[in-house]
């Protein structure tokens, strides 16, 4: 019924080859084909950021990206960050500052925060808030998330 | 250990510390498996066909093409489940609708297939013929004479109402009018109180539709084993109530229903009832003889999960010149939607705020909840209290202004004190209300700013600053909503002094695992890391009434403390026997049994536990339960207590109103909460900040637009949640009133922080501009229009069903 495409890409530093439907999103591929469920579905329309991943160093809403578009690219998900010692301080900051409640938004937040820190190591609170604007959280009121990211800036201030 | 080596153990109390959430590391690493992430071998995927019409008779449903689609296992409609029973508070709701649809969310058919895509394709093949019926678009239409009935009584072949046995549920018997519920309450002599009043104000307030927007959408997996026992993986906040309801529903022994709750992606009250999708998933699993998983899309979550109830509310309030409140009279009209869920019972909570937040000698309260063809309302953090507080706290400001009194002094004059028994018969054993008022006012410099802002109203420039104050009273020690409120605990201490805490209380992100561990460790002198919490399986955990009503810390906390104290007594008795001393001279600290006075170590707890194992031939297991203290339930006139303790808070909101654009910016919130006692400071701050921002959304940005029964904005693009750059500066402080019954003095706080924000924002906008807005939300358009005087004031008056 549907057309399958073979694609190959780097996923969290490991080469990966999968066959996907042309209509499939990168989010569904990660969750259902590859089996990495850390990237979340929150809206499927690019409005909540729960599905944030990094593609060649840029953050992208995986729900808005076709799986076939991953072909030849370098994809990092929350699972990749969880295994990356460079991101330890950030994840620990989320824990220490109480930035996690139900935790459903957290993987997307952490991926986005890692991106903010990498592209702007001196980000102040206002910059961090703007950087997290596309990530919705219903539980925390964002304050502790911003605190966590700020504390992880330049290894903490 | 010889005497010379015995260390002195100094261990700080855990109470009031910043304790990291136990489940946070897993969640921050993306390793937590929510229901959406779960795969059960052999499972099918289910989808629901919802109504294409707002109000219609169903003439026919044809599922033959859907059934023929490869990969489709089961298609069901109401005709396939003749045994289906009505659900919900008023038993007016059949999960699958066969004859009539009453709202756009209504479930007509459901499919279980090999994949979600196939299930969706199958839905598109189902043909439904409708005959449209007139739409009841709002509550005022619902009570007009001759209004179309939402649940008309069924007719027999001759067109006469069918005779049915008494107590037949509304779903089968229908209802002769559109009134779903009615609450009437009164205390004091209203006429006399009004006659004594120097000033009377009356206004109608209009509260809108909002919805929970849990980031994790609704989902469930149902499966039957070979013997017909039901296993549900469910996000519910009330697993034990579900267990009983599903058992009744399937007509099987409750022992044969087991509910496992994977970690939950947000609750806020949305998962407090039993919903059609859960029952439908059970039907599908039964028919397919396979596990069936059903997960909503975000659009479906907007359309088909419950809402906060929209309310039209007329409040009449009076006071004397000296600032003494005299009376309050309230008439409200609630939009129930097409079916009755917990939303219909929120007037019960609203009533408490009207009668008892301030001392008011006479209170008369009448509320009607009516059926419409709109989405139906459920329970949502604050449970009616946001709506009531919005009206009351605006009137407090208006009365104060009329008698020329400072709004803070006016509130202090009428605020409750500890020891008070209110007109409604509620007893405030601990009450830090006045301290909340003065603390929040001082920390925000309320008096000075309030006066300055008025003086600056006519200053140049479009942006005006405002400050507003509002307070709240809410249950904080369990809630007598069900016949009983309790929680059981099983506590196991192993040979290495590790604790397994098995509790009925669910974790929905609020941090219950952490605070319960903290309370246990405080008793047993152990680090938080020594505790494993098991809290998500009805086959293992003892009974609990569910996560709601800000009750978990209080009820489950007391239960956990009870178990820990039993264990401690047993441990100290054993240690005293072994070490030949008086058990009263011993204590547990830092993983040791110590001498209570000097802290000198007597024996390492793990060592003692191992020796106990050999003498007792068992690990140490304690079971206990806590039921809220015996107190009288409310009588038929709603007089009496609803909780063992009450929480108080004052919030001061500061805004900037751009009078050119109508844009209101919330710049700062100063909140002071009487929490009884601070247990986990980090968790408490998090709950309050989250609640404040939820309140901000209610006040400024969130609006589920329902027109003629159609939800116009079922997505995050058009339904605006507050985002990170918009949050106010937050100054959160605590009053510790040390509740006598609370665990270590604590009271519940989960709902409190979202309750006063909209009311305080309304007062702040008035302070900035001199314009009072009686309806929510304060969107730029609404504010712009109000500032230009082109808003029509909402209107509602006393009404009684015949
Ligand atoms: S799921 Fe991708 S942005 Fe919401
Ligand atoms: S922690 Fe629950 S949505 Fe952010």
């Amino acid at each position: 019924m549907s057309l399958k495409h073979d694609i190959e890409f780097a996923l969290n530093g490991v080469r990966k080859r999968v066959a996907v439907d042309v209509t499939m999103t990168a989010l569904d591929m990660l969750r259902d084909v590859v089996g990495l469920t850390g990237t979340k579905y929150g809206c499927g329309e690019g409005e909540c950021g729960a599905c944030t991943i990094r593609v060649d160093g840029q953050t992208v809403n995986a729900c808005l990206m076709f799986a076939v578009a991953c072909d030849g690219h370098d994809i990092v998900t929350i699972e990749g960050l969880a295994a990356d010692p460079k991101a330890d301080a950030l994840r620990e900051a989320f824990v220490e500052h109480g930035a996690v409640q139900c935790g459903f938004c957290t993987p997307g937040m952490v991926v986005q925060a890692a991106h903010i820190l990498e592209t702007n190591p001196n980000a102040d609170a206002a910059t961090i808030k703007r950087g997290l604007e596309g990530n919705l959280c219903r539980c925390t009121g964002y304050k502790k998330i911003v605190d966590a990211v700020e504390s992880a800036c330049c290894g903490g201030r | 250990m010889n005497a010379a080596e015995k260390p002195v153990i100094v261990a700080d109390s855990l109470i009031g510390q910043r304790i990291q959430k136990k489940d946070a590391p897993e969640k921050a690493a993306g390793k937590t498996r929510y229901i959406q992430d779960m795969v059960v071998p052999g499972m099918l995927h289910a989808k629901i066909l919802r109504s294409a019409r707002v109000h219609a008779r169903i003439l026919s449903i044809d599922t033959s093409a859907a059934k023929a689609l490869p990969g489709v296992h089961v298609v069901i409609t109401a005709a396939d489940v003749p045994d289906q029973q009505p659900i919900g508070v008023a038993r007016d709701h059949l999960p699958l609708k066969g004859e009539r649809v009453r709202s756009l969310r209504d479930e007509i058919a459901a499919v279980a297939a090999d994949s979600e895509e196939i299930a969706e394709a199958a839905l598109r093949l189902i043909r439904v013929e409708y005959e449209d019926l007139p739409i009841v678009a709002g509550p005022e239409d619902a009570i007009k004479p001759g209004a179309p009935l939402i649940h008309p009584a069924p007719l027999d072949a001759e067109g006469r109402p069918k005779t049915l046995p008494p107590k037949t549920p509304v779903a089968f018997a229908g209802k002769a009018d559109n009134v779903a519920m009615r609450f009437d309450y009164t205390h004091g002599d209203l006429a006399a109180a009004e006659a004594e009043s120097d000033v009377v104000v009356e206004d109608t307030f209009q509260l809108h539709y909002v919805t929970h927007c849990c980031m994790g959408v609704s989902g469930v997996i149902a499966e039957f084993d070979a013997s017909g026992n039901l296993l549900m993986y469910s996000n519910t906040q009330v697993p034990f109530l579900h267990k009983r309801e599903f058992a009744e529903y399937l007509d099987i022994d409750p022992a044969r229903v087991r509910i496992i709750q994977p970690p939950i992606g947000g609750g806020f009250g949305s998962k407090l009832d039993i919903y059609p999708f859960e029952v439908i998933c059970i039907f599908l699993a039964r028919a397919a003889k396979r596990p069936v998983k059903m997960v909503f899309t975000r659009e479906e979550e907007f359309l088909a999960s419950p809402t906060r109830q929209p309310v039209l509310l007329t409040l009449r309030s009076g006071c004397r010149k000296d600032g003494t409140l005299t009376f309050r009279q309230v008439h409200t009209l609630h939009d129930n939607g097409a079916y009755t869920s917990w939303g219909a019972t929120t007037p019960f909570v609203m009533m408490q705020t009207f009668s008892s937040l301030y001392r008011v000698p006479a209170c008369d309260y009448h509320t009607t909840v009516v059926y419409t063809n709109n989405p139906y309302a459920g329970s949502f953090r604050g449970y009616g209290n946001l709506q009531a507080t919005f009206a009351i706290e605006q009137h407090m400001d208006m009365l104060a202004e009329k008698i020329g009194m400072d709004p803070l002094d006016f509130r202090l004059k009428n605020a409750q004190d500890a020891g008070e028994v209110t007109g409604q018969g509620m007893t405030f054993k601990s009450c830090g209300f006045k301290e909340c008022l003065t603390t929040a006012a001082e920390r925000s410099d309320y008096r000075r700013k309030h006066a300055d802002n008025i003086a600056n109203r006519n200053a140049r420039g479009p942006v005006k600053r405002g400050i507003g104050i509002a307070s709240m009273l809410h249950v904080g020690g369990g809630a007598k909503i069900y016949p009983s409120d309790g929680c059981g605990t099983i506590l196991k201490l192993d040979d290495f002094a590790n604790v397994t805490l098995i509790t009925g209380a669910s974790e929905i992100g609020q941090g219950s695992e952490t605070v319960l561990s903290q309370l246990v460790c405080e008793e047993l002198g152990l680090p938080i890391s020594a505790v494993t919490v098991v809290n998500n399986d009805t086959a293992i955990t003892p009974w609990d009434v569910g996560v709601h009503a800000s009750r978990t810390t209080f009820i489950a906390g007391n239960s956990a403390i009870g178990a820990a104290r039993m264990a401690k007594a047993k441990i100290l008795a054993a240690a005293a026997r072994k070490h030949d001393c008086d058990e009263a001279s011993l204590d547990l600290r830092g993983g040791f049994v110590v001498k209570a006075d000097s802290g000198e170590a007597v024996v390492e707890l793990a060592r003692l536990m191992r020796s106990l194992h050999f003498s007792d031939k068992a690990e140490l297991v304690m079971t206990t339960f806590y039921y809220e203290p015996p107190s009288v339930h409310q009588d038929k006139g709603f007089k009496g207590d609803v909780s063992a303790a009450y929480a108080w808070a004052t919030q001061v909101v500061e805004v900037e109103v751009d009078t050119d654009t109508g844009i209101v910016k919330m710049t700062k919130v100063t909140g002071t909460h009487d929490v009884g006692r601070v247990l986990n400071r980090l968790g408490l701050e998090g709950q309050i900040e989250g609640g404040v921002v939820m309140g901000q959304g209610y006040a400024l940005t969130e609006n589920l637009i329902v027109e003629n029964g159609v939800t116009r904005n079922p997505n995050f693009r058009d339904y605006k949640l507050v985002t990170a750059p918009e949050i106010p500066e937050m100054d959160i402080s605590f009053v510790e009133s040390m509740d006598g019954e609370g665990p270590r003095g604590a009271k519940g706080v989960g709902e409190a922080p979202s309750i006063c924000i909209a009311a305080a924002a309304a007062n702040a906008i008035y302070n900035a501009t001199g314009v009072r807005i009686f309806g929510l939300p304060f969107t730029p358009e609404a504010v712009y229009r109000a500032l230009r005087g082109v808003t029509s004031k909402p209107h509602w008056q006393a009404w009684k069903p015949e």
Side-chain angles (χ1 to χ4, degrees):
Chain A
M1 183 163 77
S2 51
L3 236 49
K4 290 258 185 196
H5 262 253
D6 286 327
I7 56 169
E8 203 180 310
F9 56 97
L11 179 58
N12 300 327
V14 178
R15 301 295 309 166
K16 201 90 197 158
R17 184 180 297 162
V18 291
V20 293
D21 283 356
V22 288
T23 54
M24 181 177 263
T25 63
L27 176 62
D28 285 347
M29 173 189 74
L30 288 169
R31 292 180 55 82
D32 301 340
V33 180
V34 180
L36 292 185
T37 55
T39 309
K40 302 296 180 204
Y41 167 91
C43 69
E45 297 185 325
E47 294 289 335
C48 76
C51 64
T52 306
I53 59 171
R54 295 187 83 180
V55 181
D56 302 335
Q58 294 298 315
T59 46
V60 167
N61 289 328
C63 68
L64 291 185
M65 185 179 180
F66 282 116
V68 289
C70 294
D71 194 26
H73 293 279
D74 184 11
I75 313 283
V76 177
T77 67
I78 184 67
E79 288 86 354
L81 276 190
D84 179 357
K86 284 208 302 294
D88 282 354
L90 179 62
R91 282 185 289 104
E92 277 159 25
F94 267 67
V95 176
E96 190 183 317
H97 285 83
V100 180
Q101 288 188 29
C102 84
F104 206 84
C105 70
T106 313
M109 288 283 183
V110 171
V111 173
Q112 184 64 21
H115 178 71
I116 295 170
L117 294 189
E118 215 171 284
T119 50
N120 191 350
N122 297 311
D124 59 5
T127 313
I128 293 166
K129 284 182 190 168
R130 268 202 309 283
L132 294 174
E133 187 168 14
N135 292 70
L136 297 178
C137 173
R138 191 52 153 167
C139 303
T140 65
Y142 305 103
K143 176 159 187 292
K144 298 210 177 309
I145 298 176
V146 177
D147 290 350
V149 182
E150 205 181 357
S151 82
C153 258
C154 331
R157 274 197 287 253
Chain B
M1 232 187 281
N2 66 43
E5 284 172 307
K6 277 187 181 165
V8 170
I9 309 296
V10 197
D12 290 334
S13 167
L14 293 167
I15 302 301
Q17 301 297 310
R18 307 178 76 81
I19 311 283
Q20 294 174 6
K21 208 161 173 299
K22 282 180 84 70
D23 54 1
E26 284 289 293
K27 286 175 169 174
K31 288 180 193 287
T32 304
R33 288 185 205 104
Y34 299 85
I35 186 109
Q36 294 83 356
D37 307 326
M38 286 188 58
V39 175
V40 174
M43 76 184 189
L44 303 174
H45 299 265
K47 287 278 165 196
I48 290 174
L49 180 75
R50 298 179 187 278
S51 175
R53 306 296 171 87
V54 173
H55 195 193
R57 235 187 296 280
I58 298 174
L59 300 179
S60 69
I61 310 172
D62 178 1
T63 59
S64 52
K67 281 181 175 151
L69 188 71
V72 169
H73 291 246
V74 181
V75 181
I76 55 169
T77 65
D80 300 300
V81 284
D83 59 336
Q84 70 168 335
Q85 295 296 317
I87 57 173
V89 175
R91 295 283 180 259
D92 57 6
H93 194 183
L94 287 170
L96 281 164
K97 285 76 181 169
E99 283 156 18
R100 178 189 278 256
V101 285
R102 298 173 181 84
S103 66
L104 271 187
R105 64 175 310 288
D106 278 17
E107 299 79 0
I108 295 178
V111 177
D114 286 333
S115 71
E116 277 186 53
E117 291 70 33
I118 297 173
E120 269 160 14
L123 293 189
R124 289 193 291 271
L125 297 174
I126 298 173
R127 296 281 163 260
V128 184
E129 265 187 295
Y130 303 93
E131 180 190 294
D132 281 321
L133 294 166
I135 294 170
V136 179
E140 290 158 290
D141 294 340
I143 52 171
K144 283 190 182 137
L149 291 180
I150 306 296
H151 295 273
L155 303 177
D156 64 14
E158 274 96 61
R160 283 187 307 252
K162 267 192 199 158
T163 3
L164 292 159
K167 294 209 169 155
T168 303
V170 175
F172 301 127
K175 205 146 187 325
D177 59 18
N178 285 327
V179 176
M181 271 197 207
R182 169 90 187 170
F183 293 80
D184 297 286
Y185 166 82
T186 193
H187 80 243
D189 182 341
L190 192 77
E194 178 152 5
E196 273 174 30
S197 308
D198 296 313
V199 170
V200 171
V201 286
E202 179 176 326
D203 295 283
T204 301
F205 301 85
Q206 186 152 29
L207 290 312
H208 62 311
Y209 265 118
V210 293
T211 187
H212 306 73
C213 295
C214 301
M215 291 311 297
V217 288
S218 303
V220 68
I221 300 173
E223 74 175 295
F224 287 88
D225 71 8
S227 315
N229 300 314
L230 172 64
L231 171 61
M232 305 267 289
Y233 296 94
S234 164
N235 273 346
T236 181
Q237 292 177 232
V238 285
F240 287 92
L241 301 189
H242 268 201
K243 184 177 153 86
R244 204 193 58 209
E245 290 221 35
F246 290 135
E248 263 173 33
Y249 210 90
L250 293 165
D251 200 16
I252 59 177
D253 191 307
R256 296 177 59 192
V257 178
R258 177 178 182 184
I259 294 173
I260 296 179
Q261 296 157 285
I264 297 172
F268 315 113
S270 63
K271 299 168 170 71
L272 214 58
D273 206 348
I274 186 168
Y275 297 111
F277 78 93
E278 295 160 329
V279 179
I280 289 169
C281 202
I282 293 173
F283 289 151
L284 288 169
R286 185 174 66 180
K289 303 204 164 24
R290 295 266 291 264
V292 175
K293 178 176 180 176
M294 184 180 307
V295 174
F296 280 13
T297 62
R298 175 57 61 186
E299 185 184 22
E300 211 172 7
E301 186 80 12
F302 270 107
L303 297 175
S305 52
T307 67
R308 194 186 289 290
Q309 36 301 131
V311 179
L312 205 50
L313 188 162
T314 298
L315 174 61
R316 192 171 160 79
S317 318
C319 71
R320 285 204 288 258
K321 273 203 238 79
D322 67 357
T324 317
L325 279 175
T326 46
F327 79 96
R328 274 211 188 93
Q329 187 174 33
V330 190
H331 292 281
T332 82
L333 183 65
H334 288 234
D335 190 339
N336 196 42
Y339 304 99
T340 308
S341 179
W342 291 114
T345 69
T346 55
F348 163 78
V349 171
M350 298 172 72
M351 175 193 306
Q352 295 152 25
T353 294
F354 286 112
S355 76
S356 303
L357 170 60
Y358 296 98
R359 280 192 304 270
V360 49
C363 178
D364 184 47
Y365 171 89
H366 305 281
T367 163
T368 311
V369 183
V370 295
Y371 289 115
T372 65
N373 291 117
N374 290 330
Y376 71 89
S379 53
F380 191 173
R381 190 182 205 172
Y383 213 89
N385 210 348
L386 286 76
Q387 296 95 315
T389 304
F390 183 73
I392 286 183
E393 284 289 3
Q394 292 202 64
H395 262 195
M396 289 305 280
D397 262 26
M398 292 165 78
L399 287 171
E401 188 176 9
K402 279 211 187 278
I403 57 167
M405 195 165 174
D406 175 87
L408 178 63
D409 291 335
F410 181 54
R411 286 176 169 84
L412 283 165
K413 189 171 173 70
N414 294 287
Q416 302 284 5
D417 280 310
E420 202 106 15
V421 180
T422 77
Q424 202 183 339
M426 295 156 73
T427 312
F428 299 138
K429 294 188 188 115
S430 64
C431 173
F433 185 13
K434 285 183 176 161
E435 216 180 321
C436 286
L437 276 165
T438 51
T439 309
E442 268 165 32
R443 291 178 77 108
S444 60
D445 200 7
Y446 171 79
R447 276 190 217 268
R448 186 187 62 78
K449 288 181 183 166
H450 190 260
D452 285 359
N453 292 335
I454 295 174
N456 289 335
R457 265 183 206 160
N458 296 322
R460 283 158 58 91
V463 178
K464 312 285 178 200
R465 283 174 203 281
I467 190 165
I469 195 166
S471 300
M472 72 102 224
L473 147 73
H474 204 69
V475 294
K480 296 175 203 278
I481 291 173
Y482 304 108
S484 66
D485 186 355
C487 176
T489 304
I490 302 171
L491 186 146
K492 181 173 85 111
L493 256 159
D494 74 5
D495 294 352
F496 307 95
N498 292 310
V499 178
T500 306
L501 174 67
I502 306 171
T503 171
S506 306
E507 166 78 43
I508 53 168
Q510 85 281 42
S512 68
E513 291 179 356
T514 310
V515 84
L516 297 179
S517 301
Q518 187 187 0
L519 290 167
V520 164
C521 290
E522 183 71 7
E523 296 297 330
L524 298 179
L526 290 171
I528 299 276
S529 58
V531 184
T532 303
V533 181
V534 176
N535 57 356
N536 63 353
D537 185 342
T538 58
I540 297 171
T541 61
W543 186 82
D544 177 86
V545 84
V547 198
H548 68 94
S550 310
R551 62 176 283 284
T552 296
T553 296
F554 193 96
I555 302 285
N558 272 327
S559 179
I561 288 178
R565 288 198 177 145
M566 284 167 72
K568 181 173 178 176
K570 192 155 183 192
I571 290 164
L572 293 187
R577 269 198 313 278
K578 265 189 187 312
H579 296 271
D580 202 18
C581 54
D582 178 10
E583 59 189 84
S585 72
L586 298 175
D587 200 357
L588 294 175
R589 237 170 262 170
F592 284 83
V593 179
V594 299
K595 298 222 164 104
D597 50 2
S598 64
E600 189 187 311
V602 175
V603 58
E604 198 192 344
L605 180 58
R607 227 179 125 123
L608 177 72
M609 293 308 300
R610 284 194 288 278
S611 67
L612 282 184
H613 190 152
F614 291 113
S615 57
D616 284 14
K617 301 279 183 293
E619 287 180 328
L620 195 60
V621 178
M622 296 294 157
T623 59
T624 182
F625 61 87
Y626 176 83
Y627 280 90
E628 51 156 0
S631 52
V632 190
H633 268 256
Q634 286 190 330
D635 62 19
K636 286 227 158 44
F638 301 108
K639 300 271 169 63
D641 263 310
V642 290
S643 182
Y646 297 92
W648 303 86
T650 298
Q651 285 169 331
V652 176
V653 164
E654 292 173 61
V655 298
E656 286 175 9
V657 184
D658 185 331
T659 53
D660 281 349
T661 61
I663 292 174
V664 176
K665 212 173 131 192
M666 200 172 280
T667 52
K668 185 168 180 192
V669 173
T670 307
T672 305
H673 286 253
D674 170 11
V675 296
R677 185 159 185 206
V678 177
L679 298 178
N680 179 0
R681 195 170 295 272
L682 189 67
L684 191 50
E685 286 174 2
Q687 281 276 290
I688 291 177
E689 289 162 7
V692 164
V693 172
M694 196 176 260
Q696 179 188 8
Y698 185 61
L700 300 184
T701 66
E702 294 178 40
N703 187 13
L704 194 71
I705 303 167
V706 180
E707 288 171 357
N708 261 330
V710 181
T711 301
R712 294 290 180 198
N713 55 343
N715 57 66
F716 285 136
R717 192 166 41 257
D718 302 316
Y719 184 97
K720 288 282 180 212
L721 293 184
V722 172
T723 61
E726 297 162 278
I727 62 169
E729 180 191 342
M730 289 181 256
D731 170 29
I732 311 294
S733 56
F734 303 109
V735 168
E736 297 193 304
S737 60
M738 296 297 290
D739 190 80
E741 183 63 27
R744 298 257 167 197
K747 301 189 276 195
V749 74
E751 296 166 279
S754 55
I755 291 172
C756 334
I757 298 290
N763 288 339
I765 292 171
Y766 179 79
N767 181 234
T769 64
V771 175
R772 196 159 276 290
I773 311 179
F774 296 90
L776 281 177
F778 303 134
T779 57
E781 188 189 340
V783 174
Y784 182 92
R785 292 170 66 84
L787 292 177
R788 278 150 191 79
V790 292
T791 311
S792 51
K793 246 196 112 184
H795 177 70
W796 172 245
Q797 64 208 18
W799 183 85
K800 247 188 161 58
E802 296 180 356

